Amino acid sequence: MLILRRTDVTDVLSGRETEIIDLIADTYRLHDAGQTSLPHSVFLRFPEEDHSRDRIIGLPAYRGGERPAAGMKWISSFPGNVARGTERASAAVLLNSLESGHPVALVEGAVISAKRTAASAALAAAELTAARPAPSVLLIGCGVINLEILRFLAAALPDLREAALYDTDPARAEAFGARCAEEVPAVKARSVTDLAAALGAHRLVSLATTAATPHMDLAACGPDTTVLHVSLRDLTPEAILGAVNVVDDADHVCRERTSLDLAQQTSGNRDFIAAPIGALLRGTADLRREPHRPVVYSPFGLGVLDVALAEFVRQEAERRALGVRVDGFLPA
């Protein structure tokens, strides 16, 4: 068994944003073409009131194509960690041999999860704003995910020059701005306190919060706005129903009381979903923007993305002799 630590994963993936975006795009195309296997994720929740916002999710997946991979991501989300000074999410990805089924690698998954999430968002931003590239982005939620999203947006959108930062904790937004300036210096980042004004000023918006229930609409957005609804539970059902919606997989995203699940319950159908991102990338579907209706991209975060990226890391780590090899994990 090969154990790949956070430092190993970071060493392999640092500075490879364009390659990661290409891998995610290829995986979406395979998924849309029916060359993946992706059972529904399993949500483990807890009965105690003080754990009501906590969850652990299991995401099994198989990716076919020229670089097949199979495995499972096991990721926890404990929002209370942020106040304790630690990261909200932690994860591990277990990879299995496609010859024997044996587990062959255990890979630290939080870095993989953050980077594949950011790559998905940046890929969608490039695809959905291609006709009119956005020079700026509004990041709502100043945490690990939006920092990665900004890093990947800078790689995917050559015209991006400015980022407005909003958080319910203004001090957190200020501190986040300093990190952005250090890690993504090509984009000028500044904190803002007037959310409505910021929504009207920026045509590209990224929502990456810890919200458990909808808390905002898109009434303040200007025309031709594209919203990366990464955290999935920020927007009211009415906002979803009033938007042109793109998803990664309708069956996966319309579950577990996401904003789209609530919109489905409200409308009684999924007619509000215009297209999956994989079909747009393959050219088997077109997206027609409508005046005064924002485009909202709501990716569930398919486990096949994590498995594909973890396998990429495993192969590169093997080549570089990274990680820790544990003998005797399985019987001889």
Side-chain angles (χ1 to χ4, degrees), residues 149-161:
I149 286 175
L150 182 60
R151 192 191 322 277
F152 278 77
L153 286 176
L157 304 177
D159 295 322
L160 190 70
R161 294 291 179 266

Side-chain angles (χ1 to χ4, degrees), residues 31 38-41 247-256 258 261 264 270 273 276 300 302:
H31 180 61
L38 204 61
H40 276 310
S41 306
V247 300
D248 52 4
D249 186 296
D251 288 338
H252 286 264
V253 80
C254 291
R255 297 179 66 228
E256 295 292 332
T258 64
D261 185 18
Q264 173 183 245
R270 297 179 183 174
I273 296 176
F300 178 77
L302 303 177

Side-chain angles (χ1 to χ4, degrees), residues 40-74:
H40 276 310
S41 306
V42 176
F43 284 70
L44 176 64
R45 292 191 170 91
F46 307 94
E48 293 83 5
E49 180 64 29
D50 57 349
H51 280 292
S52 61
R53 298 176 65 204
D54 301 335
R55 64 183 187 269
I56 309 177
I57 311 173
L59 298 91
Y62 164 75
R63 169 192 154 121
E66 295 180 358
R67 291 181 290 179
M72 178 171 175
K73 180 173 77 167
W74 185 241

Side-chain angles (χ1 to χ4, degrees), residues 1 38 66 74 81 118 125 127 140 151 169 187 190 193 198 244 256-257 263 302 306:
M1 170 73 78
L38 204 61
E66 295 180 358
W74 185 241
N81 286 352
E127 179 72 16
I140 301 176
R151 192 191 322 277
D169 180 353
V187 180
R190 60 181 180 86
T193 56
V244 177
E256 295 292 332
R257 297 190 65 79
L302 303 177
D306 300 275

